Amino acid sequence: MENLQLIQKIAHGSEAALREVYGVFGNIVFNTALSYLRDRAEAEEITQDVFLEVYQSAKTFEGKSSVRTWIYRITVNKCLDKLRYLKRKKRFALVKSLFKPDTTEIQHDAEDFEHPGITLERQEYAKILFKALKRLPPQQRTAYILSFIEELPRKEVAEVMQLSVKAVESLLQRAKINLRSTLEKYYPDRRI
Amino acid sequence: MKNIIQNSEKEQWKDNVLSSLEDMKRTEAPPFLFTRIEARIRLYEMPTHLAANERVPVLKLAFGVACFVLLCGINIWIVSQTASPNTVQQYQTSSAQAAPILETADFDLY
């Protein structure tokens, strides 16, 4: 069955149709969330949120973009919201720890996140890249993740981000420059 | 010469890092994740459940009530202060006390 028909069925409350959509896009959503959040538990939560949102807003889906683009857009927005929330929470926990030094609430970043889909010999490099990606501004990070990790064509990235293809190209260009300058700091000093 | 070699090594290292995600395989989502999504849908469809955009956050509500109470309190206090007979009497007394001083001041030219 076509994705659009499935969305129409979901709009009428069909959970079977939602299961089918999950079958097609579940892994895509989970992997995108994993690239943003670098934490399996958080990625699982985002996947749940995304499919709940699909179920709730299927009625409002007008079909102007493809179902895949729509689901990607929901995922990206949920991930960015979550990152903002985690940042706020971390800041609050830090302030709280000044008054209560024995608090264990400070959130630690998943600095040593190992993506399960990467080969062992590239794992060390990938860890550094994920660490550097975290430092990019949200739009550049989104463009980079969708283009180079999710391997979407530029046109689709532009649709997901609701920008022009040129704007996406420019974001990618800046992302690469910023990544290179961030990597400068992580370069291991081999003279020692 | 040494610097050039070091720089090219560094650039090579950066290229390796940037290409480390190429040919990355997709990870499988946990097997029972959809069951959890279904459970959340059940919760959402419960008659007592309000959609996220219809819900009023407790903190915002408490803040609103606190602001309202504070505003009312300040208003009541100001009204009671201006309307109380003590204030009028106090005003009259203070003006009466001020009169002799003025009188003295009138004759005390040097």
Side-chain angles (χ1 to χ4, degrees), chain A residues 64-77:
Chain A
K64 283 179 186 167
S65 61
S66 71
V67 174
R68 192 167 100 132
T69 305
W70 181 55
I71 291 179
Y72 261 119
R73 198 178 301 149
I74 296 174
T75 310
V76 167
N77 288 337

Side-chain angles (χ1 to χ4, degrees), chain B residues 88-103:
Chain B
V88 177
Q89 204 179 3
Q90 210 174 24
Y91 174 75
Q92 282 168 347
T93 322
S94 60
S95 50
Q97 277 170 349
I101 297 166
L102 278 173
E103 273 171 34

